[in-house]
Amino acid sequence: MFKKIGPGVLVAAAFIGPGTITACSLAGVRFGFALLWAILLSILATMVLQEMAARLGLITKMGLADAITKEIGQAWFKYLILGIVLGAILIGNTAYEAGNIGGAVLGLEAIFGPTLNTLYPIIVGSFAIGLLWIGSYKNLERIFIVLIGLMSISFLITAVLTKPKLLPLLEGLFIPRVQTGSWFTVVSLVGTTVVPYNLFLHASLVNKKWKSYRDLKWVQWDTVFSIGIGGLVSMAVIVASAAIPKGEINTVMDLALGLEPLFGAGARFFMGLGLFAAGLTSAITAPLAAAYVANSCFGWKASTKDWRFRSVWLLIILIGVFSLSFDFKPIQIIKFAQVANGLLLPIMAILLLWLVNSKKIMRHYVNTKWQNFTALLIIVLSIVLGLRSIVKVIGIL
């Protein structure tokens, strides 16, 4: 059963990044267990959307952008959609790549100190480039399984050792409440979990693992299991962080206090290791997804070893390294990326729903009525949250 774990683990690795660890830690410190429901909702939405994307990729043997290109007949509308997708993914992933590398850099600083501060971005970027340049899909899959496994065990054990009270935990998990000042945290928790570029990544990678429609049940198992584990990690971070005394979070590494029940004085080292692992996995998956999107939008039909494919992810990584090495903080670009992703998720969810209901390409593997109902609820939620995040970002530009 566990040999059937595949691209779902890369999807989980993509959303368990420094942003997720930070957002979940701050949610736990500030609001205790009250926002666990937001993670549960996000994970269920992610499972539904990623299952549709993976099923589309398996049945059609196409990536998401390829399917859009094939199904949209009118040229002007097709190029408009592809332009929006390409722009949002490339710009968004480039902006967030600096954050991914920055999270890994914070991890190295915690482990080795700030002595080589200026070299850390180059070291992280070199790791990411090396793994993508020489690593096969199977090798990347194994690396991510190990890294996610270590993070999962650490945070889950830590969450148990904090001895959380069961009733407040269950209330936070199953009774949605938005406390005063917590709305933006809710948006952050959802935004770091339901990631638009993961839809493209999953649809493109599913055929690296499986070749036949007969494997659909394993595709679904992989999706639910891997994303479920990612959700448990996020919840465990919230539970562990809820034990941190309020008011003691001044820097990201103060979040290491949440690991002290398990690691004691070594908590800083293990938080550093976790941040490095989370940053590195996201620093690999974000440019990889962008390369797949560019490959489809431009119709290259290139392999992962093709110079055009490599040039996309290489450029994104180098920009991230450059931004941090020269102390350039792309705040405005990141804010624009948040707006772009806020617009992109509902658009991509609508297009994905349309595609998986097309009997022309999906045959009898189209959505059920229950899947359509659930997907429509997710689309409405993504529109509301997207608009809310856009208004919030525009208000602080």
Side-chain angles (χ1 to χ4, degrees):
M1 181 173 62
F2 291 101
K3 289 181 180 179
K4 297 297 183 179
I5 297 299
V9 75
L10 275 77
V11 173
F15 73 73
I16 305 178
T20 301
I21 291 178
T22 301
C24 290
S25 296
L26 293 177
V29 171
R30 294 171 180 171
F31 306 105
F33 305 143
L35 299 184
L36 282 171
W37 65 267
I39 289 294
L40 178 61
L41 184 65
S42 302
I43 291 301
L44 294 176
T46 302
M47 286 179 179
V48 171
L49 293 177
Q50 294 297 153
E51 188 278 334
M52 291 195 298
R55 178 159 34 100
L56 174 74
L58 182 71
I59 302 302
T60 65
K61 307 298 180 184
M62 294 186 292
L64 188 49
D66 293 310
I68 293 171
T69 302
K70 183 177 180 179
E71 282 299 291
I72 297 180
Q74 295 183 339
W76 70 269
F77 186 58
K78 175 171 64 179
Y79 292 127
L80 174 64
I81 294 298
L82 289 179
I84 292 173
V85 169
L86 186 64
I89 292 293
L90 290 182
I91 294 174
N93 286 18
T94 300
Y96 286 123
E97 184 66 2
N100 294 331
I101 295 174
V105 167
L106 283 173
L108 291 178
E109 288 180 356
I111 297 171
F112 300 108
T115 308
L116 301 175
N117 192 39
T118 56
L119 293 179
Y120 286 149
I122 298 174
I123 293 172
V124 175
S126 298
F127 261 108
I129 291 171
L131 289 172
L132 283 173
W133 192 276
I134 65 176
S136 66
Y137 163 75
K138 289 184 178 180
N139 289 333
L140 290 176
E141 183 183 290
R142 293 189 187 104
I143 290 169
F144 288 159
I145 287 174
V146 171
L147 292 175
I148 289 180
L150 289 173
M151 284 189 287
S152 301
I153 293 169
S154 295
F155 282 113
L156 287 171
I157 292 176
T158 303
V160 171
L161 290 179
T162 61
K163 299 179 180 178
K165 294 182 179 179
L166 185 60
L167 183 59
L169 189 151
L170 292 176
E171 288 179 351
L173 194 59
F174 296 111
I175 301 177
R177 293 173 182 168
V178 180
Q179 298 181 1
T180 303
S182 68
W183 181 256
F184 192 68
T185 305
V186 171
V187 173
S188 298
L189 292 173
V190 175
T192 57
T193 307
V194 189
V195 184
Y197 75 73
N198 271 343
L199 300 176
F200 295 91
L201 187 65
H202 208 168
S204 297
L205 288 178
V206 70
N207 287 298
K208 302 283 187 183
K209 181 78 173 183
W210 294 285
K211 303 298 181 184
S212 170
Y213 65 89
R214 297 183 183 89
D215 294 316
L216 179 58
K217 66 177 182 179
W218 293 117
V219 172
Q220 293 168 333
W221 153 254
D222 169 53
T223 301
V224 172
F225 178 79
S226 299
I227 295 173
I229 291 296
L232 282 176
V233 172
S234 298
M235 291 179 187
V237 174
I238 292 179
V239 172
S241 300
I244 300 175
K246 290 180 173 57
E248 292 190 13
I249 301 299
N250 298 310
T251 67
V252 175
M253 287 314 303
D254 285 339
L255 301 177
L257 293 169
L259 287 176
E260 284 190 350
L262 177 60
F263 296 115
R268 183 180 179 88
F269 172 83
F270 284 99
M271 175 57 82
L273 189 63
L275 277 174
F276 174 75
L280 184 61
T281 54
S282 296
I284 292 172
T285 52
L288 184 62
Y292 275 114
V293 172
N295 192 27
S296 297
C297 289
F298 290 119
W300 290 339
K301 307 298 181 184
S303 70
T304 55
K305 304 298 183 182
D306 189 284
W307 69 269
R308 293 168 297 181
F309 189 92
R310 283 176 165 173
S311 66
V312 176
W313 59 252
L314 183 60
L315 179 63
I316 289 177
I317 293 175
L318 289 177
I319 291 176
V321 172
F322 180 87
S323 301
L324 292 169
S325 296
F326 291 88
D327 202 30
F328 172 67
K329 307 298 183 185
I331 299 300
Q332 300 302 323
I333 298 177
I334 291 175
K335 289 177 180 177
F336 175 78
Q338 291 175 332
V339 173
N341 282 339
L343 290 170
L344 183 63
L345 180 58
I347 291 174
M348 288 317 308
I350 291 170
L351 286 172
L352 180 59
L353 182 60
W354 170 59
L355 289 170
V356 293
N357 278 287
S358 171
K359 290 186 176 180
K360 178 182 175 183
I361 62 173
M362 296 296 293
R363 303 193 298 277
H364 57 278
Y365 295 99
V366 295
N367 268 12
T368 64
K369 291 181 179 179
W370 172 248
Q371 286 172 317
N372 283 331
F373 175 75
T374 308
L376 285 172
L377 286 180
I378 294 170
I379 289 170
V380 171
L381 175 65
S382 67
I383 291 173
V384 172
L385 291 177
L387 290 174
R388 190 77 183 225
S389 63
I390 289 168
V391 169
K392 183 73 176 180
V393 169
I394 290 176
I396 60 178
L397 281 177

